């Protein structure tokens, strides 16, 4: 009634990696994630650069009409952009990871 399962040892075959890559959406999804990561890094660098630039302003520049609000708005927009890209990356990796896991499970159990 109960049979022993066959077990393989060694490394994961290239075929499994290729099937997983295809199951999660192929190179299009990989390129999308690379683009999202690149833009996120750009927002992070921009945010750091802006904060550094803002903190080096003289008191006169900081007290100019609307200077604080403008500086804060730019910093907030850069930070919001970075946060939205992190959210997008998280949702894509999670959903595509589940999609790939489901596909590999079905492939292995057929």
């Amino acid at each position: 009634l109960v049979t022993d399962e066959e077990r393989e040892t060694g490394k994961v075959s290239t075929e499994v990696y290729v099937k997983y890559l295809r199951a999660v959406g192929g190179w299009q999804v990989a390129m999308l994630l690379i683009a999202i990561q690149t833009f996120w890094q750009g927002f992070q660098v921009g945010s750091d650069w802006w904060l550094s630039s803002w903190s080096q302003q003289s008191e006169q520049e900081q007290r100019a009409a609307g200077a604080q609000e403008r500086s804060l708005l730019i910093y907030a927009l850069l930070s919001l952009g970075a946060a939205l890209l992190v959210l997008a990356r998280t949702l894509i990796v999670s959903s595509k990871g589940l999609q790939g896991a489901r596909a590999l499970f079905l492939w292995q159990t057929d």
Side-chain angles (χ1 to χ4, degrees):
L1 205 62
V2 176
T3 59
D4 286 336
E5 292 182 11
E6 290 183 31
R7 182 177 171 183
E8 292 196 27
T9 58
K11 65 180 187 167
V12 177
S13 71
T14 304
E15 179 187 15
V16 173
Y17 286 115
V18 170
K19 284 188 182 284
Y20 184 76
L21 181 62
R22 287 185 183 141
V24 298
W27 290 107
Q28 295 89 353
V29 171
M31 291 296 115
L32 175 63
L33 288 172
I34 289 170
I36 287 173
Q37 187 68 19
T38 302
F39 282 114
W40 171 79
Q41 191 67 48
F43 274 97
Q44 287 293 105
V45 169
S47 174
D48 291 346
W49 177 82
W50 183 255
L51 190 57
S52 172
S53 174
W54 182 16
S55 67
Q56 291 177 10
Q57 289 179 347
S58 69
E59 285 187 39
Q60 278 184 321
E61 290 173 320
Q62 290 183 10
R63 291 183 186 180
Q68 287 289 344
E69 291 79 11
R70 183 181 128 268
S71 294
L72 185 59
L73 177 63
I74 291 171
Y75 183 69
L77 290 174
L78 288 168
S79 298
L80 178 64
L84 291 175
L85 288 168
V86 168
L87 176 64
R89 184 183 65 210
T90 301
L91 293 174
I92 291 170
V93 168
S94 298
S95 66
K96 293 299 181 177
L98 285 172
Q99 177 182 326
R102 208 174 285 126
L104 280 184
F105 174 77
L106 293 174
W107 172 63
Q108 290 176 345
T109 57
D110 278 344

